Amino acid sequence: MSRSAPRPASRSTSRSSDRLVPRASVSRRTIAAAVAAERRELADVLDELTPNEWDAPSLCTGWRVREVAAHLSLGFRTTLPGFAVELLRARGGLHRMTDRTARRDAAAFTTRELAELLRKNAGHPWKPPAAGPTGALAHDVVHGLDITVALDHPRRVPEDRLRLLLDAVTPRSLRFFGADLTGVQLRAQDLDWSHGEGTAVYGEAQDLLLLLFGRRLPPGRLNGGPEGHRVPPTLVA
């Protein structure tokens, strides 16, 4: 994904009675348990997909569901020296590297094997380079949503995992993922959470999380709420 130019910091709020405890107080064990559970549940989802669904487009531009599934397991199968070699082959381009390896691995593994790689590595300690404590959880949850939202699959990410990730959003992460939400306030319909300032845009928390990671959503998943605001076209595919 491309990165956008820096923009002013926006704010996030979570006001429910069972709000997430401060980031610094969330234990590594809690995060690791959430990552393991997410991987197992995603593996179960993948097991149920039809051949047509495996070849359907995901929310990741240019990737089918099978490329996203292959990318999800890359960190388990690649050593640090191996990662460096792949990056060198891609002339230092991280996005070129991930695209090439996803396409290669999607062709090399069967769909059953791709699902099993997630399940067998549920407890693997890998996380994206330079990512914070919730980096691995964000990687798995967001790419899982790249699959399920694109397929209109009924699977929902549990609230505790969503809160961990929504609470961890920073201006730096928004810039990295190219999420330009200038003049927009995101408001969750299913959680007591909002982010930013400006025109209100409503949706389910897991859909709003995708916006924070630079995704554009299928039509009909966002609305202007009781205010009746128009949803900015930049948020919709």
Side-chain angles (χ1 to χ4, degrees):
M1 289 174 286
S2 61
R3 302 180 187 179
S4 63
R7 65 183 191 82
S10 53
R11 61 184 176 87
S12 298
T13 60
S14 178
R15 300 178 297 276
S16 68
S17 59
D18 60 343
R19 63 179 298 176
L20 178 70
V21 294
R23 234 173 293 159
S25 300
V26 179
S27 71
R28 291 185 179 182
R29 181 177 296 179
T30 297
I31 296 172
V35 170
E38 183 69 14
R39 289 172 183 168
R40 292 188 188 100
E41 291 167 25
L42 286 177
D44 290 342
V45 169
L46 295 178
D47 278 338
E48 297 172 355
L49 299 184
T50 66
N52 284 343
E53 288 173 325
W54 275 99
D55 285 329
S58 74
L59 295 189
C60 289
T61 304
W63 283 4
R64 299 166 297 171
V65 166
R66 66 175 64 239
E67 275 82 36
V68 178
H71 176 69
L72 274 166
S73 66
L74 177 65
F76 315 145
R77 299 180 280 102
T78 309
T79 63
L80 195 56
F83 183 89
V85 168
E86 294 292 353
L87 198 57
L88 186 62
R89 287 175 178 166
R91 305 186 304 282
L94 179 62
H95 298 306
R96 282 195 299 270
M97 186 274 281
T98 55
D99 184 64
R100 191 183 72 81
T101 55
R103 295 178 188 280
R104 177 199 67 194
D105 297 341
F109 292 100
T110 68
T111 57
R112 184 185 296 274
E113 288 171 335
L114 290 172
E116 194 58 25
L117 279 167
L118 268 183
R119 185 176 290 108
K120 287 174 60 177
N121 291 282
H124 197 285
W126 177 87
K127 68 174 184 174
T134 58
L137 182 63
H139 182 267
D140 296 342
V141 167
V142 171
H143 280 311
L145 289 169
D146 285 333
I147 292 171
T148 57
V149 170
L151 295 177
D152 198 25
H153 190 281
R155 194 245 173 179
R156 296 176 64 86
V157 178
E159 179 179 327
D160 60 329
R161 295 173 215 166
L162 288 175
R163 288 192 178 278
L164 280 169
L165 299 180
L166 293 170
D167 184 68
V169 170
T170 65
R172 180 175 178 270
S173 70
L174 293 174
R175 290 193 297 270
F176 181 85
F177 289 104
D180 185 3
L181 301 172
T182 306
V184 174
Q185 183 184 59
L186 302 181
R187 297 186 184 180
Q189 295 177 144
D190 50 342
L191 296 182
D192 192 359
W193 178 89
S194 65
H195 175 93
E197 297 179 351
T199 302
V201 172
Y202 291 79
E204 292 187 357
Q206 65 179 32
D207 287 340
L208 301 185
L209 180 69
L210 284 169
L211 296 180
L212 297 171
F213 280 79
R215 297 332 193 244
R216 298 177 71 181
L217 294 175
R221 301 188 78 95
L222 302 172
N223 65 82
E227 296 92 341
H229 293 305
R230 178 171 175 264
V231 175
T234 54
L235 304 182
V236 180

